[in-house]
Short mmCIF file of all heavy atoms in Angstrom, two decimals:
data_model
loop_
_atom_site.label_atom_id
_atom_site.label_comp_id
_atom_site.label_asym_id
_atom_site.label_seq_id
_atom_site.Cartn_x
_atom_site.Cartn_y
_atom_site.Cartn_z
N GLU D 33 -3.97 23.43 4.39
CA GLU D 33 -4.47 22.89 3.12
C GLU D 33 -4.51 23.97 2.05
O GLU D 33 -4.12 23.74 0.91
CB GLU D 33 -5.86 22.30 3.32
CG GLU D 33 -5.90 21.13 4.29
CD GLU D 33 -5.13 19.92 3.77
OE1 GLU D 33 -5.46 19.46 2.67
OE2 GLU D 33 -4.21 19.45 4.47
N LEU D 34 -4.99 25.16 2.40
CA LEU D 34 -5.10 26.23 1.40
C LEU D 34 -3.70 26.72 0.99
O LEU D 34 -3.45 26.98 -0.19
CB LEU D 34 -5.94 27.39 1.94
CG LEU D 34 -7.42 27.04 2.22
CD1 LEU D 34 -8.17 28.26 2.72
CD2 LEU D 34 -8.09 26.48 0.97
N SER D 36 -1.03 24.96 1.05
CA SER D 36 -0.44 23.87 0.28
C SER D 36 -0.91 23.92 -1.17
O SER D 36 -0.11 23.78 -2.11
CB SER D 36 -0.83 22.56 0.96
OG SER D 36 -0.33 21.47 0.27
N ASN D 37 -2.20 24.16 -1.38
CA ASN D 37 -2.72 24.32 -2.74
C ASN D 37 -2.06 25.51 -3.44
O ASN D 37 -1.71 25.44 -4.62
CB ASN D 37 -4.23 24.55 -2.72
CG ASN D 37 -5.00 23.25 -2.50
OD1 ASN D 37 -4.44 22.16 -2.58
ND2 ASN D 37 -6.29 23.38 -2.22
N ALA D 38 -1.90 26.61 -2.70
CA ALA D 38 -1.31 27.81 -3.28
C ALA D 38 0.14 27.54 -3.69
O ALA D 38 0.58 27.93 -4.78
CB ALA D 38 -1.38 28.96 -2.28
N SER D 39 0.85 26.84 -2.83
CA SER D 39 2.24 26.52 -3.12
C SER D 39 2.35 25.65 -4.37
O SER D 39 3.19 25.88 -5.24
CB SER D 39 2.84 25.82 -1.89
OG SER D 39 4.04 25.21 -2.21
N ASP D 40 1.46 24.65 -4.47
CA ASP D 40 1.44 23.80 -5.67
C ASP D 40 1.18 24.64 -6.91
O ASP D 40 1.77 24.41 -7.98
CB ASP D 40 0.34 22.74 -5.56
CG ASP D 40 0.68 21.66 -4.53
OD1 ASP D 40 1.84 21.62 -4.11
OD2 ASP D 40 -0.23 20.89 -4.16
N ALA D 41 0.27 25.62 -6.79
CA ALA D 41 -0.09 26.44 -7.94
C ALA D 41 1.12 27.28 -8.41
O ALA D 41 1.31 27.50 -9.61
CB ALA D 41 -1.26 27.35 -7.60
N LEU D 42 1.94 27.70 -7.46
CA LEU D 42 3.14 28.47 -7.82
C LEU D 42 4.17 27.56 -8.50
O LEU D 42 4.77 27.92 -9.51
CB LEU D 42 3.73 29.13 -6.57
CG LEU D 42 2.83 30.20 -5.92
CD1 LEU D 42 3.35 30.60 -4.55
CD2 LEU D 42 2.72 31.43 -6.82
N LYS D 44 3.49 24.95 -10.19
CA LYS D 44 2.98 24.61 -11.52
C LYS D 44 3.21 25.75 -12.51
O LYS D 44 3.52 25.51 -13.67
CB LYS D 44 1.49 24.29 -11.45
CG LYS D 44 1.19 22.91 -10.88
CD LYS D 44 -0.31 22.65 -10.86
CE LYS D 44 -0.65 21.49 -9.94
NZ LYS D 44 -2.08 21.47 -9.58
N VAL D 77 -6.64 33.78 1.33
CA VAL D 77 -5.37 33.13 0.97
C VAL D 77 -5.20 33.35 -0.53
O VAL D 77 -6.03 32.92 -1.32
CB VAL D 77 -5.40 31.63 1.28
CG1 VAL D 77 -4.08 30.97 0.88
CG2 VAL D 77 -5.71 31.38 2.75
N ARG D 78 -4.12 34.02 -0.90
CA ARG D 78 -3.98 34.46 -2.29
C ARG D 78 -2.65 33.99 -2.85
O ARG D 78 -1.63 34.02 -2.16
CB ARG D 78 -4.05 35.99 -2.30
CG ARG D 78 -4.09 36.64 -3.68
CD ARG D 78 -4.22 38.16 -3.55
NE ARG D 78 -5.48 38.57 -2.95
CZ ARG D 78 -5.62 39.36 -1.88
NH1 ARG D 78 -4.55 39.82 -1.27
NH2 ARG D 78 -6.80 39.68 -1.41
N ASP D 79 -2.67 33.52 -4.10
CA ASP D 79 -1.39 33.21 -4.75
C ASP D 79 -1.42 33.80 -6.14
O ASP D 79 -2.49 34.02 -6.70
CB ASP D 79 -1.16 31.69 -4.81
CG ASP D 79 -2.17 30.97 -5.68
OD1 ASP D 79 -2.10 31.11 -6.91
OD2 ASP D 79 -3.06 30.26 -5.13
N GLY D 81 -0.20 32.21 -8.76
CA GLY D 81 0.27 31.01 -9.46
C GLY D 81 -0.51 30.72 -10.72
O GLY D 81 -1.00 31.63 -11.39
N VAL D 82 -0.64 29.43 -11.02
CA VAL D 82 -1.12 29.00 -12.33
C VAL D 82 -2.62 29.25 -12.53
O VAL D 82 -3.09 29.41 -13.65
CB VAL D 82 -0.77 27.51 -12.56
CG1 VAL D 82 -1.65 26.60 -11.72
CG2 VAL D 82 -0.84 27.15 -14.03
N GLY D 83 -3.39 29.28 -11.43
CA GLY D 83 -4.82 29.54 -11.54
C GLY D 83 -5.59 28.42 -12.20
O GLY D 83 -5.04 27.37 -12.54
N MET D 84 -6.90 28.64 -12.36
CA MET D 84 -7.76 27.62 -12.99
C MET D 84 -8.67 28.30 -14.02
O MET D 84 -9.06 29.44 -13.86
CB MET D 84 -8.64 26.94 -11.94
CG MET D 84 -7.92 25.99 -11.01
SD MET D 84 -8.99 25.42 -9.67
CE MET D 84 -8.72 26.69 -8.43
N GLU D 88 -12.10 24.21 -15.34
CA GLU D 88 -11.32 23.55 -14.28
C GLU D 88 -11.92 23.79 -12.91
O GLU D 88 -11.95 22.90 -12.07
CB GLU D 88 -9.87 24.04 -14.30
CG GLU D 88 -9.03 23.38 -15.37
CD GLU D 88 -7.64 23.99 -15.50
OE1 GLU D 88 -7.49 25.21 -15.25
OE2 GLU D 88 -6.73 23.26 -15.86
N VAL D 89 -12.39 25.01 -12.67
CA VAL D 89 -12.97 25.29 -11.35
C VAL D 89 -14.13 24.33 -11.11
O VAL D 89 -14.23 23.71 -10.05
CB VAL D 89 -13.45 26.75 -11.24
CG1 VAL D 89 -14.13 26.98 -9.90
CG2 VAL D 89 -12.28 27.70 -11.39
N GLN D 91 -14.63 21.41 -12.48
CA GLN D 91 -14.16 20.03 -12.33
C GLN D 91 -13.42 19.80 -11.03
O GLN D 91 -13.64 18.83 -10.32
CB GLN D 91 -13.18 19.70 -13.46
CG GLN D 91 -13.82 19.26 -14.74
CD GLN D 91 -12.82 19.41 -15.88
OE1 GLN D 91 -11.59 19.40 -15.64
NE2 GLN D 91 -13.33 19.56 -17.08
N LEU D 92 -12.52 20.71 -10.73
CA LEU D 92 -11.61 20.46 -9.61
C LEU D 92 -12.25 20.77 -8.27
O LEU D 92 -12.00 20.09 -7.29
CB LEU D 92 -10.33 21.29 -9.77
CG LEU D 92 -9.50 20.96 -11.01
CD1 LEU D 92 -8.40 21.99 -11.18
CD2 LEU D 92 -8.90 19.58 -10.86
N ILE D 93 -13.06 21.79 -8.25
CA ILE D 93 -13.60 22.22 -6.96
C ILE D 93 -15.00 21.63 -6.72
O ILE D 93 -15.41 21.44 -5.59
CB ILE D 93 -13.62 23.77 -6.87
CG1 ILE D 93 -12.20 24.32 -7.11
CG2 ILE D 93 -14.16 24.25 -5.55
CD1 ILE D 93 -11.19 24.03 -6.04
N THR D 95 -16.08 18.63 -7.70
CA THR D 95 -16.12 17.17 -7.58
C THR D 95 -14.95 16.70 -6.74
O THR D 95 -14.04 17.47 -6.45
CB THR D 95 -15.99 16.49 -8.96
OG1 THR D 95 -14.72 16.84 -9.50
CG2 THR D 95 -17.08 16.93 -9.91
N ALA D 97 -11.96 14.25 -6.97
CA ALA D 97 -11.23 13.37 -7.89
C ALA D 97 -10.34 12.43 -7.11
O ALA D 97 -10.05 11.33 -7.53
CB ALA D 97 -10.39 14.21 -8.83
N ASN D 98 -9.94 12.89 -5.95
CA ASN D 98 -9.00 12.13 -5.14
C ASN D 98 -9.61 10.81 -4.66
O ASN D 98 -10.55 10.80 -3.89
CB ASN D 98 -8.62 13.02 -3.95
CG ASN D 98 -7.50 12.42 -3.15
OD1 ASN D 98 -7.40 11.21 -3.04
ND2 ASN D 98 -6.67 13.26 -2.60
N THR D 101 -10.02 10.22 -0.97
CA THR D 101 -11.14 10.88 -0.31
C THR D 101 -12.42 10.09 -0.51
O THR D 101 -13.24 9.96 0.40
CB THR D 101 -11.30 12.31 -0.84
OG1 THR D 101 -10.03 12.94 -0.79
CG2 THR D 101 -12.27 13.08 -0.01
N GLY D 125 -6.12 14.07 3.58
CA GLY D 125 -6.12 15.50 3.35
C GLY D 125 -7.42 15.82 2.64
O GLY D 125 -7.71 15.21 1.62
N VAL D 126 -8.21 16.70 3.17
CA VAL D 126 -9.47 16.97 2.50
C VAL D 126 -9.41 18.27 1.73
O VAL D 126 -10.39 18.73 1.17
CB VAL D 126 -10.66 16.98 3.47
CG1 VAL D 126 -10.98 15.56 3.89
CG2 VAL D 126 -10.35 17.83 4.66
N GLY D 127 -8.23 18.87 1.72
CA GLY D 127 -7.98 19.97 0.81
C GLY D 127 -8.87 21.17 0.97
O GLY D 127 -9.23 21.58 2.07
N PHE D 128 -9.21 21.72 -0.17
CA PHE D 128 -9.94 22.97 -0.27
C PHE D 128 -11.19 23.02 0.61
O PHE D 128 -11.47 24.03 1.26
CB PHE D 128 -10.32 23.16 -1.74
CG PHE D 128 -11.15 24.36 -2.00
CD1 PHE D 128 -10.58 25.62 -2.01
CD2 PHE D 128 -12.51 24.23 -2.22
CE1 PHE D 128 -11.36 26.74 -2.25
CE2 PHE D 128 -13.30 25.35 -2.46
CZ PHE D 128 -12.72 26.60 -2.47
N TYR D 129 -11.92 21.91 0.65
CA TYR D 129 -13.18 21.91 1.41
C TYR D 129 -13.01 22.15 2.90
O TYR D 129 -13.95 22.50 3.59
CB TYR D 129 -13.92 20.58 1.23
CG TYR D 129 -14.50 20.38 -0.13
CD1 TYR D 129 -14.96 19.13 -0.53
CD2 TYR D 129 -14.63 21.43 -1.02
CE1 TYR D 129 -15.50 18.93 -1.78
CE2 TYR D 129 -15.16 21.24 -2.28
CZ TYR D 129 -15.59 19.98 -2.66
OH TYR D 129 -16.12 19.79 -3.88
N LEU D 140 -13.99 32.06 -4.29
CA LEU D 140 -12.70 31.81 -4.92
C LEU D 140 -12.67 32.58 -6.23
O LEU D 140 -13.60 32.50 -7.03
CB LEU D 140 -12.55 30.31 -5.14
CG LEU D 140 -11.36 29.76 -5.93
CD1 LEU D 140 -10.97 28.41 -5.33
CD2 LEU D 140 -11.67 29.56 -7.40
N THR D 142 -10.26 33.28 -9.55
CA THR D 142 -9.05 32.70 -10.14
C THR D 142 -8.95 33.03 -11.62
O THR D 142 -9.96 33.25 -12.29
CB THR D 142 -9.04 31.16 -9.94
OG1 THR D 142 -7.82 30.63 -10.42
CG2 THR D 142 -10.20 30.48 -10.68
N GLY D 172 -3.58 34.21 -10.92
CA GLY D 172 -3.57 33.29 -9.79
C GLY D 172 -4.94 33.11 -9.16
O GLY D 172 -5.97 33.32 -9.80
N THR D 173 -4.92 32.76 -7.89
CA THR D 173 -6.14 32.37 -7.20
C THR D 173 -6.21 33.03 -5.84
O THR D 173 -5.20 33.08 -5.13
CB THR D 173 -6.15 30.83 -6.98
OG1 THR D 173 -5.98 30.19 -8.24
CG2 THR D 173 -7.45 30.37 -6.34
N SER D 174 -7.38 33.54 -5.49
CA SER D 174 -7.54 33.95 -4.10
C SER D 174 -8.78 33.29 -3.52
O SER D 174 -9.81 33.18 -4.17
CB SER D 174 -7.61 35.47 -3.97
OG SER D 174 -8.79 35.94 -4.55
N VAL D 175 -8.63 32.79 -2.32
CA VAL D 175 -9.73 32.10 -1.64
C VAL D 175 -10.09 32.93 -0.42
O VAL D 175 -9.26 33.15 0.46
CB VAL D 175 -9.29 30.69 -1.19
CG1 VAL D 175 -10.40 30.01 -0.40
CG2 VAL D 175 -8.87 29.85 -2.39
N HIS D 258 0.39 13.97 1.16
CA HIS D 258 -1.07 14.08 1.27
C HIS D 258 -1.59 13.16 2.36
O HIS D 258 -2.56 12.43 2.18
CB HIS D 258 -1.75 13.77 -0.07
CG HIS D 258 -1.50 14.81 -1.10
ND1 HIS D 258 -2.16 16.02 -1.11
CD2 HIS D 258 -0.64 14.84 -2.14
CE1 HIS D 258 -1.71 16.75 -2.12
NE2 HIS D 258 -0.78 16.06 -2.75
P1 LIG Q 1 -6.00 18.27 -3.62
O1 LIG Q 1 -5.17 19.48 -3.32
O2 LIG Q 1 -5.83 17.16 -2.66
O3 LIG Q 1 -5.91 17.84 -5.07
P2 LIG Q 1 -8.18 20.14 -3.30
O4 LIG Q 1 -9.65 19.92 -3.12
O5 LIG Q 1 -7.50 20.92 -2.27
O6 LIG Q 1 -7.55 18.70 -3.44
O7 LIG Q 1 -7.96 20.81 -4.69
C1 LIG Q 1 -8.45 20.22 -5.85
C2 LIG Q 1 -7.71 20.77 -7.05
O8 LIG Q 1 -8.06 22.13 -7.29
C3 LIG Q 1 -6.20 20.79 -6.90
O9 LIG Q 1 -5.64 19.54 -7.22
C4 LIG Q 1 -5.81 21.89 -7.91
O10 LIG Q 1 -5.76 21.36 -9.21
C5 LIG Q 1 -6.96 22.83 -7.83
N1 LIG Q 1 -6.63 23.95 -6.94
C6 LIG Q 1 -6.93 24.08 -5.64
N2 LIG Q 1 -6.44 25.24 -5.15
C7 LIG Q 1 -5.80 25.85 -6.16
C8 LIG Q 1 -5.05 27.08 -6.31
N3 LIG Q 1 -4.85 27.90 -5.28
N4 LIG Q 1 -4.55 27.35 -7.52
C9 LIG Q 1 -4.72 26.52 -8.58
N5 LIG Q 1 -5.39 25.37 -8.50
C10 LIG Q 1 -5.93 25.02 -7.31
#
Side-chain angles (χ1 to χ4, degrees):
E33 298 294 304
L34 296 181
S36 179
N37 282 348
S39 165
D40 289 347
L42 295 168
K44 284 181 197 163
V77 180
R78 187 177 295 125
D79 65 72
V82 74
M84 288 172 272
E88 280 173 329
V89 176
Q91 276 161 24
L92 297 170
I93 304 292
T95 62
N98 188 326
T101 310
V126 286
F128 176 76
Y129 289 167
L140 173 146
T142 185
T173 304
S174 67
V175 177
H258 291 282

